[in-house]
Amino acid sequence: MDGWTLSYDGFEPGQEGLREALCVLGNGYFATRGAAAEADAGEVHYPGTYVAGCYNRLGTEMAGRVIENEDLVNVPNWLPLTFRIEGGEWFDLSAVEILEYRQELDLKRGVLSRRVRFRDPQGRESTLVHHRLVHISEPHLCALESTLTPENWSGSVEFRSALDGTVINSGVPRYRKLAGKHLEPLEARQVDAERIYVKVETNQSKVQIAQAARTRVFRDGKRIEPDRRAVEKTGYAAHEFTLDADKGVPLTVEKVVTFYTSRDHAITECGIEAREQLRHVGGFGALLKSHAIAWSHLWNRFDIGITANLPNRQAEHAAMVLRIHVFHLLQTVSLNSTELDVGVPARGLHGEAYRGHIFWDELYIFPFLNLRQPEITRALLRYRYRRLPEARAAAREAGCLGAMFPWQSGSNGREETQQVHLNPKSGRWLPDNSQLQRHVNVAIAYNVWQYYQVTGDFQFMAFFGAEMLIEIARFWACLANYNEELDRYEIRGVMGPDEYHDGYPDREEPGLDNNAYTNLMAAWVMWRALEMFYSLPYDKRDELCETLVVREDEIAHWEDISTKMRVCFHDDGIISQFEGYGDLLEFDWEGYRKKYGDIHRLDRILEAEGDTPNRYKLSKQADVLMLFYLFSAEELEGLFNRLGYDFDHAIIPKNIEYYDARTAHGSTLSRIVSAWVNARADRPGSWDLFVQALESDVADIQGGTTAEGIHLGAMAGTVDVVQRCYTGLETRGDTLWFNPRLPEELEDLKLRLCYRGHCIKLDMTPERMELTSLPSMAGPIKVRVRDTMHQLVPGETKVIEL
Amino acid sequence: MDGWTLSYDGFEPGQEGLREALCVLGNGYFATRGAAAEADAGEVHYPGTYVAGCYNRLGTEMAGRVIENEDLVNVPNWLPLTFRIEGGEWFDLSAVEILEYRQELDLKRGVLSRRVRFRDPQGRESTLVHHRLVHISEPHLCALESTLTPENWSGSVEFRSALDGTVINSGVPRYRKLAGKHLEPLEARQVDAERIYVKVETNQSKVQIAQAARTRVFRDGKRIEPDRRAVEKTGYAAHEFTLDADKGVPLTVEKVVTFYTSRDHAITECGIEAREQLRHVGGFGALLKSHAIAWSHLWNRFDIGITANLPNRQAEHAAMVLRIHVFHLLQTVSLNSTELDVGVPARGLHGEAYRGHIFWDELYIFPFLNLRQPEITRALLRYRYRRLPEARAAAREAGCLGAMFPWQSGSNGREETQQVHLNPKSGRWLPDNSQLQRHVNVAIAYNVWQYYQVTGDFQFMAFFGAEMLIEIARFWACLANYNEELDRYEIRGVMGPDEYHDGYPDREEPGLDNNAYTNLMAAWVMWRALEMFYSLPYDKRDELCETLVVREDEIAHWEDISTKMRVCFHDDGIISQFEGYGDLLEFDWEGYRKKYGDIHRLDRILEAEGDTPNRYKLSKQADVLMLFYLFSAEELEGLFNRLGYDFDHAIIPKNIEYYDARTAHGSTLSRIVSAWVNARADRPGSWDLFVQALESDVADIQGGTTAEGIHLGAMAGTVDVVQRCYTGLETRGDTLWFNPRLPEELEDLKLRLCYRGHCIKLDMTPERMELTSLPSMAGPIKVRVRDTMHQLVPGETKVIEL
C-alpha cells in the first residue's frame, strides 16, 4: 500500500457492487461504471456509463405514479471486449478456475487495472491483463487495453469488441420495478475496418448520445490486421475477429472510444464528431501519457497529504481513503464539467440512487472545492442560477415571493422529491414530506457567500450571486411571520435536516415550527443579503433594484427579521431543535440497540412497530449541531447577539453533548458534523467519528448503499474536516483565518489552497505552520493565525510557531 | 429625430431588404428578421428567424460541390399574425391604398413599431398599429401586439395567428440555387385554447427547435375569449378566430412566444419547456416593461454619446447611427449569449450572407466589447478555445505544429472557406484562395492579449489564453523559414488582409511572400507569447510545458524569430505590402473610375476584363495600414526596433498617404482603418472617411449587401473609432493610456469604460477630460493622460485639462 492504490486481491462475487462503485472511472459528465461487474464476466456486461445526472430524468413509476422526466440515464456501454478459445463459450470468470486475481485502481494516474490468471475446463492456463482509463483532460475519450497470454497452450481465439446501446437503468434493486429503459436506438453500424459506431436518444429528454470505437490488435506488441466480421443489431454494433494464439505470446486488443452528446459544444452533429474525431486520436499508450499528466496536475492542486501516528498501517489507509474521496469528487466535477450545465448529484455519477437529483449536499462539497479550484464552484453556482426562474415560479405557486429552490432538484430545476416512499421493513408506502426541507435555500445562499469570500469575485456577486441572495432572502422574509406577542419572527411548517422529524405527533399537517437551524440560517441569510446589498457598486445596486423591483421597505423588513428571528431553548441553554422538542419523550437507545443491533434507520424500525420518531428526542443527523459545523463560535456569537440572545460559549459543548447522545447517524453526513464539532472539545471522540466517516463508502457502512452510488457529501466532508476543521480555516471579513488544532494522531498535514488569486502551499505540524504563496500577480492578502494578523504577498513564505 | 429612433415614413417596396436588416430585432442566439418584409404583406410571410450561426451549417451546393454542414439556419417563423375583413382576402399591403405609413425602431427600448392607415378596395378605412419585441433579458421570449381599428366601418374580422416551421433559407439571392431547406418538421399542433406549438429539427446538425405561442384578444382593451379554430399542418400550426369589429373600437391581438432549442441549458426537453414556460409569462405590457428596463441597463453600459457641431441635423444622425451599431452588436452578442457556444458571425444574425461563419472580424469587434462588458469577449474567446483541437488537427494536416485557426470557421471549428467563387460580372467560377489568410491566427492572439490587458484576468490567461498563445506562436514558428543569407525569418505563400492580391502574376502557386502585416504580427505574437510565458506563475507554467510539451529550444526559437522577422521596404521607407509589391504596376485609378463609376470591386472588374489585380499596386483594403490601426506609434517603434529596423515616425504619414491612394475600399472594414490612421494627420479627411463608414449599412453603400446581413465589424469599428481612436485609448503595460484628439466636429464625447474591475465614466471635450471611477472594490489603477501618470481609485473623479 503506497497510499495511491486501491487494490483487491482475490475475486469475491459478493463484493461486486461495492467494488464497482468504488472503482468507477469517469470524468465530467461522463462516468463509467463497472470494475467488479467486469470481473464478474471477464471483460463484458457492464451496466454502462452515465450521462450527466442533471439534464435527463428517470422515467419511473412509483406506487402507481409515473415520474415522466429523466434525470439520470445509463449511456451506451463502451466496455464490451471479450474472447473465446477454440470456439468454446465466451469467457466467463465464474466458469474458470481462478489461479490469481488482482484488481487495482491507481489513483495517481486514474487507471483501473486487473490481472487474472485462470485455468479453463480444458486445462488451458492463461493470463489476462486489463487496463482502462476515462481521459480526464480530453472529455470525449476513453480507452482500454486487454492482453491475453496463453501459458500452456496454442490455438485460435475469437475476440469481440462492441458498443452496446441496449443498456437499461437497473443499478438499484428497489427501483427495478420502475421503468428502466430510457434509450431509443438510432444507429448502430460498422464505420470502416477499424471503427464501429452507436447512436441512441433518451426517450423523454431527447438527448442524443453517440459513441464510436476503434479496435486495434497487436501480437507481441506488433500491430496486426485481422479480418473483421461486423455485427450490426438494433442499438448494438461489434467487430469480431479470430487470431492464432501461440503459447507465451501476448495478444493485445486496444479499444479507443469517443463519446459525444447532442449537448456538447463545438460540434456539428454528435455522431459525426464521434466518428471523425477518432481519426485524430493516438493509441492507448499516448492517451495514458497525457491522461497521467493531467491527473498529476489535478493532484498538485487537490491532494491532501497527511502523516499520522497510527498502528497497523492505519495512517496509510486514512491517507489513501482521503485520496479516494478526492478522486471520486473529481470524477463527478472538474474543469471539464464547468462547460456543461451540470450540478453535483448527491451520489456522484457512480450509481443510480437518488436518480441524479441535486440536493443540499453541496453544502458539504463546495467549501472544499472553493479552496482548491473555485472555477468549479462558480460553474456549479451558475447551475443553480440558471434554475432561478423555476425556483421563482415554485415560490409563486406556494404563495410566496422570491425563490424557493426544491429539495430534490431535477433537470430543469423543478421539485422532484418523491411524495411517497417505501419502508422495506413494514412493506408500507408512506407519505414523504421531505420536500418541506426549505433549508436547501440557506445552503445555496451560504455557498454563494462562501464562494464570494474565498475568491473576492465581485463580478460574480454583482451579476449572479446578488440576485440569488436577494430572491432567497425574499423567500424567507415571506415565510417568516411576525408574532406580535413575542416581538419575534417565526417560521412554521418546515423540516430541518433531521429527516426523522417531519411533524408533531399530535398534529395533522406535516412540518415543524421554529426549527432552530432553519430560523438562524434564515436570519443569517438576511444579514448577508443586507451586507451584500450595501457593498454593491451603486449603479449595479440600482439596476438590481429596478430589475427585481426591490423596495426600501423590503430592505427594512429584512433588517427587522434578521434581528428578531425566534430561537427556542429548553433545559437551560439547550437550543431546541424545534419548538416543542423539549417536550418529546426520551428514546430507549439501549433497549432498541439490544433489540435490533443496527438502529441507524430508526425511522423504519419505529414505523414498522406502528410508532413514529416524531414522538422522541432522537435525530437522523445532527440538526442543531449544523450550526457549530457551519460557524465558528465567534461568528455564531455575533449572530445570536444580533438577534438579542445571550451567547455563552459554554453552551456549545453542552449542546454538542446533548444532541450527540440523541443522534442515530442515519445519514453519512451526520458523522462528519459530529467529528467536526467535537474536534476541539473531545479530540479522541472526534477522531473516532472521523475514522468512521472515512469508512462510509470504502467499507460500505450502511450495508449496501455504496453499490447504489458513493456518498459524495460524506466524501468531500471528510476531506474538508482535515482541510478546514483541523486547520481552523475560515474565510470572513476579507481575511483568511487559521486556528489550528490537529488531532493527536496527525503529525503533519500538507495542502494547497486557492484564496483571492493566491495559490498557497500549507504545511502544518502540531508545532508550526508554513505558508507559501506561489508567485503570481495577486495583491496582498490578510492572514490571521490565532490572534495575530499577517500580510502575505505572492512569492512569500511565512513560518509561524504554534 | 431624437437620436434614439430609426424611422421610415412611407412604404417603399424597393427598400424592404435594407430596412429588414436594419430593423432586425433579436438577442443572443435568437434573432428575428423582418421589419420591411413584414410591411410587404401586412403581418405575414417573413423569412423567419435565425438560430445561432455558429452551431449549425448550411447545406449548400456550390459549383457542384455539396457542403454538407449547416452553419446558419432560419428557425420557425413566429411572426405570422394576419386578418381578413368580411371573408375577403387576407390582408396584403400591396392590395390596399396606403393613407399613412410609419415604421420605427425604438433603439432605447428595443421595440419595433409600425403604424399603417389604409383604405381597402371596398372603401373601408382602418388603422393597424403593431409593436414587437424580442426580450433582451429573457432569452426565450418574444412578443408582438397588433391593433386594428375600423375607422369608417363595422363588420366581422377573421384573425389568424400561426407558427410556421416550413421556412427555408432564401435570404441571399445568389445562394437560392443552393439547398435551402434545413428544417425537418417534428410536431405542429394546438396545445389548448390559447396555445399552439411547433417543433422542428435541423436536418444535418440535428438541433431541435421548439416554439409555443399564446394568442390573446382584447376589445377596447378588455380581454375577450373568442372561439378558436385550430389549423394543424406539417410544420405549421395556427389559431383562427372571428371577431365583430365596431367602428372606432380597437381590436388587439397579443401574441407571446417561447423559444427553446435542444442545446439550451436548464431544460428537460425543449418542446416541454416551450409549452410549459408559457404558463408563467405575463402579457405584452409586462414583457415590454422588463424588456425596456433591461435595455436601459444595457445602454447605461454601452451607450456612446457624442455632441457634434454639424449642420442639417448631421450630428443627431451620426449619434443615432452609432447607437444603431451598438444596438445590432447587442442583438448578436450579449450576456445572454455568454451561456451558449456561439461566436460573432461577420454579418451578425441578421442575414444569411457568409452563412454564419466566423472570420477575423473579431479584431474590429472585441476591442469595443472588452472595454464595455469583458465577460462577453471572455465567452467569445472561449468559443475559439473550444475549437483549439480542430485548429491543432488542421495545423498537423498542413504539416505544421501548433494551431491553425481557419479563415472561415464553421460550427465545429473546421475550415469552411469556399474553394471557388462566382464573379457575377464574368459569370465565371474562380478558384478562391482566401483561406491562405493565415493572419486570422494573429487576430485571435491579439484579442487574447487585449482582453488580458483590459481585465487583468490572469485566471483566463493561465487556463485558456496561454494555451492559445503558445499554440499560435508555434504555428508561426513553424511557418517562418530561416533565410541564412539575410539572417532573417520569412513567411511565404500566404495572403494578407487585402484579398485583391492572392498571388504573384507570374507564379503558379497562390500566396504571397513576406506580407508585412502577417510577418510583423507573427513577430509580435512571439513577443507576447514570451512575455506571457515568463509572467505565468511557475507552477502553472510547468504544467503548461508538460501538457503541451513545450521545450526550451522552442522558446529560444521564438525569441530568435521575434527579433529577426523580415520586413520588406521599397521607395525609401514604404513598407512593402509583400515582397515584390514595389515592382507591380501602378493602376489607372482615374481611367477605371471614368469607365466603371463604382470601382470598389476591382477584383471582379479586372477578372471580367481577363486581367488580375495581382499585377497592380492596389488593395481591397488597407493592408499595411492595419499596423497603424492596431498599434500606436510608440508600440510600433518598439516592435521595429526589436526586429533591428529603424523606425522614423515620419514613415507613418508617408505610408498612410501611399496606401490610401492605392486602396479601393472594397471592404467595409477598410474605411474604418483609414479613418483611424488619418485621425491625427488629416483630420478632415479622416472625418469624411468616418462618416462614410458610418453609412456602410444605414445607407447600404455597397448597394445591396446590407439586406444580406449587416456588417458587424464595420458597425463595431465605427464605435471604436470614437471610443479608442479619438480618445487615444490604449491598454498596455498595466496602464490605461489616453492621448485624446477629438475631430474638430466633435464638441463632447461621453462613454463608460470597464478597466480592471473599474467602471469609469468618461466625459471629454477638446479642452478637458473628466474621469470618474464608480464606487467598487477594485484596486487602484494607473491612468496616463498624454505624458502624465495618474492613479485612480474607485469613487474618485479626475478632471484633466488638455
Side-chain angles (χ1 to χ4, degrees), chain A residues 55 69 201 204-206 208 262-269 272-273 277 280 293 297 300-301 335 339 341 373 375 382 386-387 390 393 396-397 411-412 452 458-459 463 537-539 543 546-547 752 759 774-775 777-778, chain B residues 55 69 201 204-206 208 262-269 272-273 277 280 293 297 300-301 335 339 341 373 375 382 386-387 390 393 396-397 411-412 452 458-459 463 537-539 543 546-547 752 759 774-775 777-778:
Chain A
Y55 56 67
N69 293 300
E201 185 177 71
Q204 184 274 323
S205 49
K206 306 295 179 198
Q208 297 189 355
S262 56
R263 304 221 168 185
D264 282 326
H265 286 157
I267 65 170
T268 166
E269 182 272 324
I272 293 178
E273 297 299 332
Q277 294 306 323
H280 305 309
I293 287 175
H297 297 166
N300 279 349
R301 189 173 268 275
L335 278 185
E339 282 275 286
D341 179 41
Q373 188 133 32
E375 295 82 2
R382 286 190 70 174
R386 284 186 208 106
R387 284 150 182 83
E390 191 68 29
R396 264 201 312 276
E397 264 172 51
S411 55
N412 60 355
Y452 175 57
F458 58 87
Q459 293 286 342
F463 283 107
Y538 302 150
D539 57 328
E543 286 187 6
E546 206 177 5
T547 304
R752 200 187 277 210
C759 182
L774 299 182
M777 285 175 292
Chain B
Y55 56 65
N69 294 299
E201 184 177 70
Q204 184 274 323
S205 49
K206 307 294 179 198
Q208 297 189 353
S262 55
R263 303 219 168 186
D264 282 326
H265 286 158
I267 64 169
T268 166
E269 182 272 325
I272 293 178
E273 297 300 331
Q277 294 306 323
H280 305 309
I293 287 174
H297 297 166
N300 280 348
R301 188 172 269 275
L335 279 185
E339 282 275 287
D341 179 41
Q373 186 132 33
E375 295 82 4
R382 287 192 71 175
R386 283 185 209 107
R387 284 150 184 82
E390 192 68 29
R396 265 201 311 277
E397 265 173 49
S411 56
N412 60 355
Y452 176 56
F458 57 88
Q459 293 286 343
F463 284 106
Y538 303 151
D539 58 327
E543 285 188 5
E546 207 178 4
T547 304
R752 200 187 278 210
C759 182
L774 299 183
M777 285 174 290

Side-chain angles (χ1 to χ4, degrees), chain A residues 6-24:
Chain A
L6 174 64
S7 61
Y8 299 101
D9 283 310
F11 177 56
E12 289 177 56
Q15 293 299 305
E16 285 160 39
L18 172 61
R19 289 192 187 175
E20 180 183 335
L22 287 174
C23 292
V24 156

Side-chain angles (χ1 to χ4, degrees), chain A residues 642-715:
Chain A
R642 184 180 166 87
L643 290 169
Y645 292 112
D646 286 337
F647 188 84
D648 178 352
H649 284 230
I651 76 159
I652 301 180
K654 191 170 170 180
N655 273 273
I656 292 172
E657 194 183 351
Y658 183 90
Y659 283 108
D660 259 349
R662 289 164 179 80
T663 297
H665 295 308
S667 155
T668 53
L669 300 172
S670 183
R671 283 187 191 80
I672 310 280
V673 175
S674 286
W676 189 295
V677 301
N678 282 296
R680 273 145 218 271
D682 175 14
R683 291 164 84 195
S686 165
W687 180 259
D688 285 347
L689 283 160
F690 171 68
V691 169
Q692 287 172 41
L694 275 183
E695 296 300 297
S696 297
D697 279 314
V698 290
D700 194 14
I701 60 171
Q702 289 192 346
T705 65
T706 296
E708 299 171 353
I710 51 91
H711 300 79
L712 211 58
M715 284 190 162

Side-chain angles (χ1 to χ4, degrees), chain A residues 154 170 198 217 305 328 446 535 560 607 624 626 652 660 689 707 794:
Chain A
S154 295
S170 65
V198 160
V217 192
H328 285 303
Y446 182 87
S535 71
D560 201 43
E607 196 278 333
V624 166
M626 287 297 299
I652 301 180
D660 259 349
L689 283 160

